[in-house]
Amino acid sequence: AITAVAVLINFLYLPDLFRAEATIYVLNRQSENTISASDLTAGTQLTNDYKQLIHSKRVMDAAAAALGYANLEGYEVEVKAINDTRFINIAVTGRRAYLAANIANELAVQFSETVVDIMQVDNVSIIDLASVPEEPVAPAKERNIVLTAAVSFLFCAAFMAVRGVLDTTIKTSSDIQAQLDLPVLSTFPYLRILSEVKAPNRKEARR
């Protein structure tokens, strides 16, 4: 029964969530022709600042307005550096696959424009635009069902084991020897109690 409920919840009530990702690159170039070691170091330092800037209300509201929405409520935005590099991954998770991709791409565009406006530098490049995901990333329906079935089995096994330990009723002759330490002299077959035997009808009795 528990497994059946889990199946219904997974397939009827838990919505599919899709994840789209865009990638940008941060570089603080002091010269248009060459890239120095200080440029790379500064780019690494700016990465943390830019991660916070993407989450700012200014960038989020600008992306929502560009897409025709009041806000991005219902969509989770995750920003992180890829393996401590100057590459920044913008991941958006939500119910609509195409909208998750549009939000990720618009965040990358709005962030690039905001950096130019605030810092007066053009040091952010969009490397990969997000594509529309074809498969959901959550919920893991098959895994949830398997885990629920395993937990149900363990619960039933534990219940039966505890029930067997707590059950002290005498059912067989061996139970008498084990619990009362008395020898069994003889056994009798089960007989129905007289009250359980249906009394004959009086009319039938007269006949």
Side-chain angles (χ1 to χ4, degrees):
I2 298 177
T3 305
V5 172
V7 171
L8 291 176
I9 293 176
N10 271 275
F11 286 94
L12 297 180
Y13 296 101
L14 293 181
D16 290 334
L17 297 179
F18 297 88
R19 182 184 181 92
E21 301 180 358
T23 305
I24 59 179
Y25 183 74
V26 176
L27 179 62
N28 186 29
R29 180 180 296 182
Q30 298 177 356
S31 174
E32 295 183 358
N33 298 323
T34 60
I35 300 175
S36 63
S38 61
D39 293 336
L40 298 176
T41 302
T44 303
Q45 295 173 349
L46 287 172
T47 299
N48 294 326
D49 296 338
Y50 287 172
K51 287 165 58 179
Q52 298 301 320
L53 183 58
I54 295 175
H55 274 117
S56 67
K57 188 175 185 300
R58 176 173 178 174
V59 174
M60 299 286 281
D61 288 349
L67 295 172
Y69 295 94
N71 53 60
L72 300 180
E73 183 178 357
Y75 286 82
E76 179 184 356
V77 178
E78 180 183 0
V79 181
K80 64 180 180 180
I82 302 177
N83 298 327
D84 297 326
T85 64
R86 290 173 298 279
F87 288 93
I88 298 179
N89 178 268
I90 303 174
V92 178
T93 304
R95 295 187 179 185
R96 299 181 182 178
Y98 73 92
L99 187 53
N102 289 343
I103 292 175
N105 292 333
E106 195 59 40
L107 283 173
V109 172
Q110 294 298 329
F111 167 69
S112 301
E113 295 178 357
T114 302
V115 168
V116 174
D117 184 43
I118 294 177
M119 298 184 175
Q120 302 299 319
V121 292
D122 185 8
N123 61 351
V124 176
S125 301
I126 300 176
I127 304 301
D128 293 319
L129 290 174
S131 57
V132 178
E134 297 180 357
E135 298 293 335
V137 295
K141 298 179 179 179
E142 291 78 6
R143 184 189 64 183
N144 292 343
I145 293 174
V146 171
L147 289 177
T148 302
V151 171
S152 301
F153 174 78
L154 293 176
F155 176 80
C156 293
F159 175 78
M160 296 302 295
V162 172
R163 182 180 179 182
V165 172
L166 298 179
D167 186 7
T168 58
T169 58
I170 297 176
K171 298 181 177 64
T172 63
S173 59
S174 59
D175 292 339
I176 298 176
Q177 295 176 347
Q179 297 186 29
L180 302 180
D181 195 21
L182 295 175
V184 178
L185 300 179
S186 63
T187 60
F188 297 91
Y190 173 75
L191 298 177
R192 298 181 62 185
I193 302 176
L194 294 178
S195 61
E196 295 180 358
V197 180
K198 184 178 180 181
N201 194 334
R202 292 183 178 180
K203 295 182 179 180
E204 295 179 354
R206 291 177 182 177
R207 293 178 183 178

